[in-house]
Amino acid sequence: MAQNKLITMDEFTIQETRKFPQATGELSSLLRDIGLAGKIVNKQVLKAGLVDILGKHGATNIQGEEQMKLDVYANETLINILKNSSDCAGIASEENDDHVCYEDTFSANSKYVVLFDPLDGSSNIDVNAPIGTIFSIYRRVSELGKTCTKEDFLQPGNRLMAAGYIIYGSSTMMVYATKISVNGFTLEPSIGEFCLSHPNIRIPENGKIYSINQGNTVKYTEGMKSYLNYCMESNKEEGRPYSHRYIGSMVADMHRTLIKGGIFMYPADKSSARGKLRLQYECNPMAFIVEAAGGKATYGNGNILDIVPTELHQRTPIFIGSKNMVNKALEFVAEKEMVG
Ligand code: AHG
Ligand code: MN
Ligand code: MN
């Protein structure tokens, strides 16, 4: 039956938190703030094709404002909105060398810290392909009432309170996961609200698509190469080869994987022993979302979410997606070959 009432993300989150009498609503307002940042970034993304007309990074526009690169703009937008939020003690961003602790009293009394990749897939901006923002929310481990510390940002993914992404695609969507469920909200531009469009997302246990930068094959391990051959052959699960899809924006490739099923991989290779993708800004949040949706995420020797980070910008190999496909890949990618 067609649903005739739009449920906004705020309404939904508030209804969900009411199920937990001890919840204070801080997480809901943090999600709302991240959604607001997403809407502001989205407005700028929509104009990205006009950059040659409106001015490039460093140029000054007609109002005398300096034009910013989209990833710098997204980063500053998130940092400023979360600074003004009463529920965020500090942030760490893929774009900043170190974490940032907000110094005011409100922030010092806030329970949460947020980590983000402000603009994922930035090489796709020029070709109008989907890009995104990825975020993670942890409860801080440092003492409440004081400024946050580095330890707050070096927690393993299994301690995440929530994680999600905003995809700037053919429509703009925000997807977020808590331990209980994953839900997707599509931006309704006429009212400027994210509205529930994909309730209780479950990733199919099997899929027909593998997603990897196959141009790197020459650098892959023998196990990895044999798994790719398996994907390209008529395998017994499908009776035909899998399809290959790779956009090169993790958010876009993962959004498809979550909805349609499949496997996404960025393995270690001869030139990068830990792969390319960042544990804290890309892999942990995606692993948390996929696991909450019933899928699996591994670095080859164990769960992504169990890695205890030692540095903010650490990288990890990743195999993530439909449970049965990830398990199959693990049969090929022998333990001894994994560097992660
Ligand atoms: P970012 O734009 O935040 O630097 O991330 C790009 C990442 C990720 O989105 C994508 O999956 C991957 O880089 C693509 O890398 P390759 O071009 O090496 O395939
Ligand atoms: Mn990224
Ligand atoms: Mn980025």
Side-chain angles (χ1 to χ4, degrees):
M1 205 174 69
Q3 185 187 304
N4 54 15
K5 186 191 174 303
L6 288 177
I7 300 175
T8 67
M9 191 174 80
D10 268 5
E11 288 175 312
F12 177 86
T13 314
I14 291 165
Q15 280 169 19
E16 286 297 291
T17 25
R18 281 196 186 138
K19 293 179 187 162
F20 301 92
Q22 72 279 20
T24 55
E26 285 161 287
L27 195 60
S28 332
S29 80
L30 204 45
L31 287 164
R32 186 189 316 137
D33 290 335
I34 294 169
L36 171 63
K39 287 186 236 178
I40 294 172
V41 173
N42 181 58
K43 212 177 126 219
Q44 214 61 21
V45 169
L46 293 175
K47 292 195 286 190
L50 296 169
V51 74
D52 286 339
I53 299 158
L54 299 177
K56 284 194 188 301
H57 179 46
T60 307
N61 72 11
I62 200 151
Q63 285 92 21
E65 300 156 334
E66 199 193 318
Q67 294 294 300
M68 268 183 238
K69 260 175 81 183
L70 213 42
D71 38 14
V72 179
Y73 180 84
N75 193 38
E76 293 196 359
T77 302
L78 274 154
I79 293 177
N80 290 331
I81 286 186
L82 290 170
K83 184 170 195 261
N84 292 331
S85 158
S86 52
D87 302 300
C88 182
I91 62 99
S93 161
E94 189 201 64
E95 293 289 328
N96 291 46
D97 290 342
D98 216 344
H99 66 283
V100 177
C101 289
Y102 301 134
E103 303 286 344
D104 58 291
T105 346
F106 256 129
S107 304
N109 283 301
S110 302
K111 280 200 289 212
Y112 298 107
V113 294
V114 182
L115 288 82
F116 49 83
D117 176 354
L119 208 83
D120 174 68
S122 36
S123 64
N124 274 323
I125 298 169
D126 291 346
V127 295
N128 224 339
I131 48 180
T133 296
I134 313 174
F135 64 90
S136 297
I137 302 175
Y138 288 94
R139 192 189 285 267
R140 59 191 284 199
V141 288
S142 58
E143 199 182 324
L144 222 59
K146 300 203 168 144
T147 49
C148 61
T149 64
K150 189 157 207 155
E151 284 60 50
D152 297 326
F153 301 92
L154 293 178
Q155 302 189 57
N158 56 30
R159 300 188 67 161
L160 276 163
M161 300 299 295
Y165 57 82
I166 298 153
I167 177 165
Y168 312 103
S170 45
S171 56
T172 301
M173 267 189 83
M174 178 153 165
V175 173
Y176 81 78
T178 58
K179 282 205 171 80
I180 359 173
S181 64
V182 185
N183 294 278
F185 306 83
T186 301
L187 184 63
E188 214 302 19
S190 65
I191 55 168
E193 291 280 358
F194 286 106
C195 296
L196 183 63
S197 54
H198 295 61
N200 196 22
I201 299 172
R202 304 295 297 167
I203 181 168
E205 289 198 343
N206 295 296
K208 299 177 177 178
I209 299 172
Y210 70 109
S211 188
I212 186 170
N213 187 340
Q214 204 152 348
N216 289 334
T217 303
V218 65
K219 296 192 273 178
Y220 293 152
T221 62
E222 290 313 307
M224 193 60 224
K225 285 180 190 163
S226 56
Y227 178 61
L228 290 180
N229 280 330
Y230 170 85
C231 291
M232 291 186 286
E233 279 162 12
S234 181
N235 53 68
K236 83 171 180 297
E237 279 76 10
E238 272 301 308
R240 65 182 186 96
Y242 293 136
S243 295
H244 177 250
R245 301 271 183 274
Y246 190 69
I247 297 168
S249 283
M250 190 192 198
V251 169
D253 283 313
M254 281 310 303
H255 186 63
R256 182 199 55 245
T257 305
L258 190 64
I259 305 289
K260 291 195 167 178
I263 185 169
F264 172 88
M265 295 164 279
Y266 211 111
D269 63 40
K270 283 178 196 153
S271 60
S272 39
R274 283 189 159 194
K276 173 185 181 187
L277 298 179
R278 312 278 181 168
L279 173 64
Q280 295 292 75
Y281 309 110
E282 297 170 319
C283 298
N284 265 341
M286 288 301 179
F288 182 82
I289 297 165
V290 162
E291 284 204 5
K296 181 164 179 166
T298 168
Y299 58 92
N301 293 328
N303 286 351
I304 292 280
L305 297 176
D306 291 335
I307 303 174
V308 180
T310 51
E311 45 172 323
L312 269 182
H313 295 276
Q314 132 177 12
R315 298 170 198 266
T316 177
I318 187 166
F319 302 80
I320 180 171
S322 294
K323 200 176 256 173
N324 293 341
M325 286 184 89
V326 173
N327 284 336
K328 190 75 195 177
L330 284 175
E331 289 175 21
F332 288 85
V333 185
E335 200 171 311
K336 60 179 169 31
E337 295 189 90
M338 291 308 304
V339 215

